[in-house]
Amino acid sequence: MSAMNKIALEPTRRLTATQDLAIVRAAFAQGPSAHLRWRLAAISFLMDQFDEVIELLADARGLDSGGAELLAQAYLARENAADDARALAAAQHSLAEAGEFAPRRAAALAVRAKAETRLGKLEAARTTLSDALDLDPLNKDACKRLATLMLQVGDASGVLDLTSRLAASGAAHSRLFAARALALARMGDIDAAHEAMGEAAFLGAAKLAPPEGWDSIEAFNDALADELLGHPGLRFERYGSASELTWRIDTPLMRNTPLVRQLLDQIAATIAARVERFAADPHPWRDSAPTEAMLRSWCVITDSVGYETWHVHQFGWLSGAYYVRVPDAITNGTDEAGCIAIGLPEDIVGEEAAAAFGIRQFRPHSGLLLTFPSHTYHRTFPHRAAEQRICVAFDLRPA
């Protein structure tokens, strides 16, 4: 494992995405240039304005590969067969415009395969994804989608062969590590699946020390909760995330959120110390640690019915959650309500393998900092309390 020399915070935002969207919309209305069209489409996509993305790009002249891929993604987000077919055509246009640049061609193929899968063309999708990975073995989406298709037809040994080939080509990301653990569990080798996941060796859970200038973490959390609840970027739901029925802040760190900065500085320092304490035994995930990393954060606020489905963090190396405010009913509870669980998704590995792998459950409390490898599957449960639960989630990403 190489030493992690630096953990930097993500760039501080000046505007929320909503504010940015309003400004770019106004600029585009006054002077609809190709550059503003692309920028407006990209921001609209982030804000789940998929109809607007399609209106901007569907009839645009000279649409390049990236623009056609974004159009395909917007069609897919509308989740109906007619738009899936349109997505397939847009992805094919993206591929045609990609030229000989292998990563761009692979990205277009990964989206084409998603449309093919939606349309029931599973063999075509497998071929498309294999072609994508031949072009770019580092493509995370293609790895995730191909491994999932293979596991769904019981080809777990093929997934192990696939991930071994990708690793030999330099791939070392959360989708690859997760796919190996899923395949091993599907094959019934539960001990090897736990070893591949590494959650027992590398999971950290402890109360965060209060940042400088604060007498207690409780006092800091009370002030931080007020800052987050008043954040101008607060929105309900976001398409494509694991969050269901939740409030989110996609970019908490802004010029007017000093307590968020204090929190992230404290998390970065705590992570650096935890990484230094990792055991010396070799593990592919630990060996892939970046020498320089960026801490990327977002906030999830759940009412009684909000929860997270099984997921991993595709872009991270180490991920985690910090609990700012937790209802007493969760902290003092005895069931799964409001807890975070680490395990495997039944819909991919099957109920028998998921049960054999087991679930490791953590009961949140205010001030808890939980960290785990980004390829660790985890989920949460509705807490059913009257108060809100406030959590800041984060990824440590290669810089």
Side-chain angles (χ1 to χ4, degrees), residues 113-145:
K114 185 175 182 179
E116 290 170 337
T117 301
R118 291 270 193 91
L119 293 166
K121 302 177 179 181
L122 301 187
E123 284 304 316
R126 284 188 64 165
T127 300
T128 298
L129 291 167
S130 294
D131 291 345
L133 290 169
D134 286 342
L135 286 166
D136 181 11
L138 307 185
N139 189 291
K140 299 178 180 67
D141 285 328
C143 176
K144 169 189 68 175
R145 290 169 190 161

Side-chain angles (χ1 to χ4, degrees), residues 28 55-56 172 202 211 220 227 277 289 319-320 344:
F28 182 74
E55 182 179 350
L56 285 163
F202 303 119
F220 173 75
E227 185 174 277
R277 293 196 295 269
S319 299
L344 294 180

Side-chain angles (χ1 to χ4, degrees), residues 60 161 202 300:
D161 291 340
F202 303 119
V300 179

Side-chain angles (χ1 to χ4, degrees), residues 92-392:
Q92 192 61 31
H93 178 82
S94 176
L95 180 63
E97 294 295 321
E100 298 303 314
F101 185 50
R104 173 103 298 280
R105 293 182 65 81
L109 287 169
V111 176
R112 189 178 84 180
K114 185 175 182 179
E116 290 170 337
T117 301
R118 291 270 193 91
L119 293 166
K121 302 177 179 181
L122 301 187
E123 284 304 316
R126 284 188 64 165
T127 300
T128 298
L129 291 167
S130 294
D131 291 345
L133 290 169
D134 286 342
L135 286 166
D136 181 11
L138 307 185
N139 189 291
K140 299 178 180 67
D141 285 328
C143 176
K144 169 189 68 175
R145 290 169 190 161
L146 182 54
T148 299
L149 286 175
M150 295 171 75
L151 288 170
Q152 286 173 342
V153 297
D155 189 9
S157 61
V159 173
L160 291 183
D161 291 340
L162 169 69
T163 54
S164 293
R165 292 197 308 272
L166 295 177
S169 297
H173 52 73
S174 65
R175 289 297 182 184
L176 182 145
F177 296 133
R180 289 194 67 83
L182 292 171
L184 289 164
R186 186 69 177 266
M187 296 170 70
D189 196 342
I190 301 302
D191 289 341
H194 277 293
E195 176 63 25
M197 196 68 78
E199 82 284 356
F202 303 119
L203 190 145
K207 192 169 185 177
L208 191 70
E212 185 177 355
W214 292 88
D215 293 333
S216 70
I217 195 64
E218 289 76 17
F220 173 75
N221 282 342
D222 285 342
L224 176 60
D226 290 341
E227 185 174 277
L228 291 168
L229 291 170
H231 197 288
L234 188 64
R235 62 187 286 195
F236 189 69
E237 294 281 75
R238 180 178 175 185
Y239 180 83
S241 75
S243 300
E244 298 286 344
L245 303 173
T246 62
W247 295 90
R248 295 176 60 89
I249 305 170
D250 293 326
T251 53
L253 183 58
M254 301 186 69
R255 289 188 300 173
N256 59 348
T257 56
L259 300 184
V260 170
R261 175 170 289 279
Q262 277 193 285
L263 172 66
L264 296 180
D265 282 336
Q266 191 76 343
I267 289 174
T270 305
I271 288 175
R274 286 186 183 180
V275 169
E276 286 295 320
R277 293 196 295 269
F278 286 160
D281 295 337
H283 190 282
W285 169 78
R286 191 186 55 240
D287 294 341
S288 71
T291 55
E292 294 189 358
M294 181 187 73
L295 190 65
R296 165 81 176 91
S297 68
W298 59 99
C299 178
V300 179
I301 302 173
T302 55
D303 297 315
S304 61
V305 295
Y307 64 98
E308 303 266 328
T309 60
W310 284 117
H311 65 289
V312 302
H313 291 202
Q314 176 159 309
F315 301 103
W317 176 74
L318 183 79
S319 299
Y322 175 72
Y323 294 91
V324 180
R325 177 174 289 172
V326 180
D328 289 341
I330 300 175
T331 302
N332 300 321
T334 57
D335 60 6
E336 66 185 17
C339 292
I340 181 171
I342 289 173
L344 294 180
E346 300 86 351
D347 61 331
I348 299 179
V349 299
E351 293 187 4
E352 183 178 347
F357 187 88
I359 285 181
R360 188 173 183 181
Q361 189 166 284
F362 290 86
R363 183 166 301 284
H365 58 81
S366 178
L368 174 67
L369 176 65
L370 188 66
T371 58
F372 43 81
S374 296
H375 60 270
T376 306
Y377 271 97
H378 56 287
R379 64 158 299 174
T380 65
F381 302 93
H383 59 72
R384 303 192 296 272
E387 305 86 0
Q388 291 179 315
R389 188 186 76 166
I390 304 176
C391 167
V392 174

Side-chain angles (χ1 to χ4, degrees), residues 3-68:
M4 189 172 293
N5 299 324
K6 181 182 179 182
I7 298 177
L9 301 189
E10 62 194 306
T12 302
R13 292 289 302 265
R14 294 176 177 269
L15 300 172
T16 66
T18 301
Q19 293 165 335
D20 204 9
L21 180 59
I23 292 170
V24 177
R25 268 185 186 150
F28 182 74
Q30 297 210 357
S33 68
H35 170 73
L36 284 175
R37 180 186 300 276
W38 163 252
R39 188 175 174 196
L40 179 55
I43 301 170
S44 297
F45 186 86
L46 289 175
M47 294 301 296
D48 295 347
Q49 303 296 313
F50 305 121
D51 292 347
E52 182 171 5
V53 176
I54 292 167
E55 182 179 350
L56 285 163
L57 298 180
D59 297 321
R61 295 181 179 179
L63 199 61
D64 66 7
S65 180

